C-alpha cells in the first residue's frame, strides 16, 4: 500500500524566514514524488517533481529514501508563497496518492 | 484550451437526493481522474479511467457512488442517495500517457454541500 503523510495541516512563517513543509511516504517500490500547490482562487497545479531535481519559485525538495521523506524547502519565504501544498506519490502510471495537505501562511 | 471543465461549481442539495457532477477533460488526454478533497483526509483518489475504461475504482467509498466515461470528452460522478458526509470538493483531473510525468491538470472543482 502507498501512503503519504504531511504532519502539519497549518504552517505559519514570516516573510524572509526559511520554510520547510514536511512529507513522508510509505511505499515498497521505487517512488516518484511530487509537490502540488493550490493558490487562492487558482487550480491545483504541479510545483515540482523529484526526478527533475529542479528549483521552482525558489522551492527545492530532495528525496531521502532512507528516511522516506520528500520535504519542500525554501530559504526565504515570500507572501505570494501562501497557499495549500500537497505532497504526492506516484506508484503506477498516473495514480497519484496525495497527502492531507499543508496550508502555508507567510506573514508580512 | 480552457483546461479541464467541471460543472456545477457549487451544488447544495438535501440528503437523499441524487447528485451528478460533470467533467470535460483536456482534449487529447487519455487519463481522467476523480478526486475528493476534505479537510480531514486531504485529496483522495476515487476512480480513474484510461481511454474511457475504469482502471481503478478502489477509492470509491461505497455503492452510492458511481462514475462513467461514455466518451473521451465527458465523464460523470454520481452520488445516489447523497448524505451529509459526502459534502466535499470534488476534483476532476486529466493527463496524457506518453510516460509518467506525474502532471495532472485539474479542474476548478465542484463544491458539494449535502444538508
Amino acid at each position: 500500500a502507498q501512503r503519504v503523510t504531511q504532519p502539519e495541516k497549518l504552517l505559519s512563517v514570516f516573510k524572509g524566514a526559511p520554510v520547510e513543509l514536511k512529507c513522508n511516504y510509505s511505499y515498497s517500490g521505487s517512488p516518484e514524488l511530487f509537490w502540488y500547490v493550490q493558490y487562492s482562487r487558482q487550480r491545483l497545479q504541479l510545483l515540482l517533481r523529484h526526478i527533475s531535481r529542479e528549483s521552482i519559485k525558489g522551492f527545492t525538495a530532495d528525496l531521502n529514501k532512507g528516511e522516506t521523506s520528500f520535504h519542500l524547502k525554501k530559504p526565504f519565504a515570500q507572501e505570494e508563497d501562501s497557499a495549500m501544498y500537497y505532497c504526492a506519490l506516484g506508484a503506477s502510471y498516473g495514480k497519484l496518492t496525495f497527502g492531507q495537505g499543508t496550508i502555508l501562511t507567510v506573514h508580512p | 484550451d480552457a483546461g479541464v471543465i467541471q460543472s456545477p461549481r457549487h451544488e447544495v442539495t438535501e440528503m437523499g437526493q441524487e447528485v451528478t457532477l460533470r467533467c470535460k477533460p483536456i482534449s487529447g488526454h487519455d487519463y481522467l481522474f476523480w478526486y475528493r478533497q476534505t479537510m480531514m483526509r486531504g485529496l483522495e483518489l476515487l476512480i480513474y479511467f484510461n481511454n474511457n475504461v475504469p482502471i481503478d475504482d478502489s477509492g470509491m467509498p461505497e455503492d452510492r457512488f458511481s462514475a462513467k466515461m461514455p466518451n473521451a470528452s465527458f465523464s460523470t460522478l454520481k452520488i445516489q442517495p447523497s448524505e451529509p458526509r459526502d459534502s466535499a470538493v470534488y476534483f476532476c483531473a486529466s493527463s496524457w500517457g506518453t510516460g509518467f510525468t506525474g502532471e495532472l491538470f485539474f479542474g476548478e472543482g465542484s463544491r458539494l454541500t449535502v444538508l
Side-chain angles (χ1 to χ4, degrees), chain B residues 13-33:
Chain B
T13 191
E14 293 190 345
M15 183 173 64
Q17 296 298 306
E18 178 179 293
V19 173
T20 300
L21 307 178
R22 298 173 178 80
C23 175
K24 181 180 187 307
I26 292 173
S27 178
H29 283 190
D30 54 355
Y31 282 81
L32 184 139
F33 308 81

Side-chain angles (χ1 to χ4, degrees), chain A residues 1-4 25-33 65 68 89-92:
Chain A
Q2 55 203 72
R3 183 189 296 273
V4 177
Y25 67 90
S26 172
Y27 180 59
S28 57
S30 181
E32 301 273 359
L33 274 300
K65 291 187 178 180
T68 60
L89 167 67
S92 60

Side-chain angles (χ1 to χ4, degrees), chain B residues 13-21 60 62-67 77-83 86 90 112 114:
Chain B
T13 191
E14 293 190 345
M15 183 173 64
Q17 296 298 306
E18 178 179 293
V19 173
T20 300
L21 307 178
M60 296 285 264
E62 48 197 272
D63 292 345
R64 298 184 297 107
F65 285 69
S66 63
L77 178 67
K78 186 174 293 187
I79 309 172
Q80 166 63 19
S82 59
E83 296 183 2
D86 301 329
Y90 291 81
L112 173 64
V114 183

Side-chain angles (χ1 to χ4, degrees), chain B residues 35-50:
Chain B
Y35 282 89
R36 178 171 66 176
Q37 181 189 47
T38 61
M39 281 300 294
M40 290 299 295
R41 302 171 71 95
L43 267 174
E44 301 173 275
L45 176 64
L46 301 177
I47 185 172
Y48 77 98
F49 296 83
N50 177 221

